[in-house]
Amino acid sequence: MKGTAELPYKILVGLEVHVQLKTRTKLFSRSSTAFGAAPNTQTSPVDIGLPGSLPVMNRHAYELALRTAAALNCEIPAYTKWDRKQYFYPDLPKGYQISQYDLPMSREGWLEISDPKGAFEPKRVRIIRAHLEEDAGKSMHDEAAGKADSRIDLNRAGTPLLEIVTYPDLSSPQEAKAFLTELKLLLSYLDVSDCNMEEGSLRVDANVNLHVPTAAGEIATPLVEVKNMNSFRSVERALAYEAQRQYEVWRETGKTKADVPKQTRGWDDQAQVTRGQRHKEESSDYRYFPDPDLCPVIATTEQVEEVRRNLGELPAALRSRLEAEYAVTRYDADVMVNQGRPLAAYFEELARGCGDGKQAGNWIQQDVLRTLKETGAAIEAFPIPAARLAELLKAVQQGQLDNARARIVFGEMLTGGLSTGEAMQKLGIEKVESTELEELCRELLDQNPRIVADVKGGKEKAVGALIGQARKKNPNVNPNDVRAKCLELIAAE
Ligand code: MN
């Protein structure tokens, strides 16, 4: 892909991420939030806006939002309230969404992104705000067996969402994807959301426009909000497409941000294009006003401090600690941390057990992760406990096994539930004693005078031919030991 540095414009992207919080019940009612139930079976009078019903805030949803806001380094004001955002749509039976307008529960935070491969410089992406709101229902168009009808499912109505809004600090599609990946990781470490895009528990809209340098100064292209992106990869593609489209439209029409109101475009994943949808409402069109049915929420300083204290170790801090404590590279620390907290914990136990972080990191990346990928299992269900794998790695360090034979033992431990020693015994693999090794090497040298002559003549590589023969005689020998011993014996002759 073409680097952004070569582009004749700067891309400015701000993201709006809606995260479904992991609560059993809705934000203002006791209906279940479980995914996949039959339509309209998880609704209450509050969710569907029956007159006389009254909302009551789900305290757990607010606590999860507080944790997330704190982890995003946000200011958390002492006082927050609820507002009604009015609009008409069939999936919104109350005629308004309960959201937060001028006094959101958190604001002015940041999340740092970086790329271990160096595609962009590490940067802090500033967060404008994160506020709580309820989800709407779902319109299902033409989904019923090809009939041209529309139906409404209100199961989602009232589900708690945290809307996280960033400043336009992202300067490329890659940075936008990196932000989303890091945010998702953070949310999983905090255990506040399932982040399942297919089930709609993480939804992304992107505001994008360009700054183009011209002879008369820099111009800004009209602002576009891109919707309907159903994976991080489609966010990346949609932004790359949209940036180029805006550049071409500007070259054709010369129209700038001052000439055109903000537009909404939808990403068409099949055609890989964005398509115009509608001109976006201004916030004044929503006629926000405080919801008279709900009390404001007060967060005491002690409460906020306690939340900040109990966030646990978050991905950025964990990466730095793994680098410092186990002497792994930034890249390795990234791989371990990005797989989630349980894998990072497995790595730490393995590294402590075998005493070599680099070796532990290599085995996890090459063997453990590959196995997990093949079986589709999670690390929690991995058949070799870290302490057992550490024994195997120690056996490699002590020269009892070379890596190739250690992999065979690893395979046996995977299926057999055996310790390293038991698996080696079962496979007939044992350490070759040094006297045994010397005897074997002497025998080989006697049988191969030409190789001996070659080595003496300076062709040290010739000794390689003996390794295959050695392994035929005794499959347990370590190739490096055979090479070293043979060279030693020849030199001593
Ligand atoms: Mn929203």
Side-chain angles (χ1 to χ4, degrees), residues 18 97 131 133 163:
H18 284 84
Q97 175 194 29
H131 70 251
E133 61 185 29
E163 178 176 332

Side-chain angles (χ1 to χ4, degrees), residues 261-277:
K262 182 170 162 182
Q263 195 201 5
T264 301
R265 299 180 67 86
W267 173 243
D268 180 337
D269 210 42
Q270 303 251 285
Q272 301 273 300
V273 296
T274 61
R275 297 185 199 281
Q277 290 183 327

Side-chain angles (χ1 to χ4, degrees), residues 157-179:
T159 296
L161 302 177
L162 187 68
E163 178 176 332
I164 301 164
V165 187
T166 78
Y167 282 92
D169 285 351
L170 299 155
S171 359
S172 69
Q174 294 84 342
E175 285 185 15
K177 189 181 174 205
F179 175 84

Side-chain angles (χ1 to χ4, degrees), residues 367-381:
D367 302 273
V368 177
L369 286 179
R370 198 203 49 219
T371 309
L372 292 177
K373 205 172 168 191
E374 280 166 11
T375 58
I379 185 71
E380 291 94 322

Side-chain angles (χ1 to χ4, degrees), residues 292-433:
D293 289 342
L294 284 158
C295 339
V297 184
I298 309 292
T300 63
T301 318
E302 294 75 37
Q303 189 187 1
V304 173
E305 272 170 12
E306 199 191 326
V307 169
R308 292 196 197 276
R309 260 201 315 275
N310 293 320
L311 287 176
E313 193 175 32
L314 299 177
L318 180 53
R319 283 187 195 106
S320 305
R321 189 170 64 75
L322 294 190
E323 275 184 279
E325 221 165 283
Y326 302 99
V328 293
T329 61
R330 172 69 193 198
Y331 181 86
D332 286 353
D334 238 61
V335 173
M336 244 60 80
V337 172
N338 293 2
Q339 295 290 327
R341 212 194 275 281
L343 188 108
Y346 186 95
F347 162 77
E348 285 201 66
E349 204 186 329
L350 182 61
R352 275 198 302 265
C354 77
D356 184 342
K358 182 73 198 159
Q359 187 194 22
N362 287 344
W363 271 83
I364 286 189
Q365 289 175 64
Q366 283 162 33
D367 302 273
V368 177
L369 286 179
R370 198 203 49 219
T371 309
L372 292 177
K373 205 172 168 191
E374 280 166 11
T375 58
I379 185 71
E380 291 94 322
F382 192 64
I384 311 177
R388 279 208 161 160
L389 187 54
E391 291 166 13
L392 178 64
L393 270 51
K394 270 193 188 153
V396 174
Q397 289 168 18
Q398 291 158 4
Q400 290 179 39
L401 291 164
D402 56 75
N403 273 320
R405 292 180 74 70
R407 292 226 154 78
I408 298 169
V409 176
F410 177 82
E412 191 62 36
M413 290 167 74
L414 265 183
T415 50
L418 303 175
S419 71
T420 301
E422 288 164 345
M424 284 172 69
Q425 203 167 28
K426 188 172 173 202
L427 291 164
I429 293 177
E430 51 192 37
K431 181 166 166 58
V432 179
E433 294 306 325

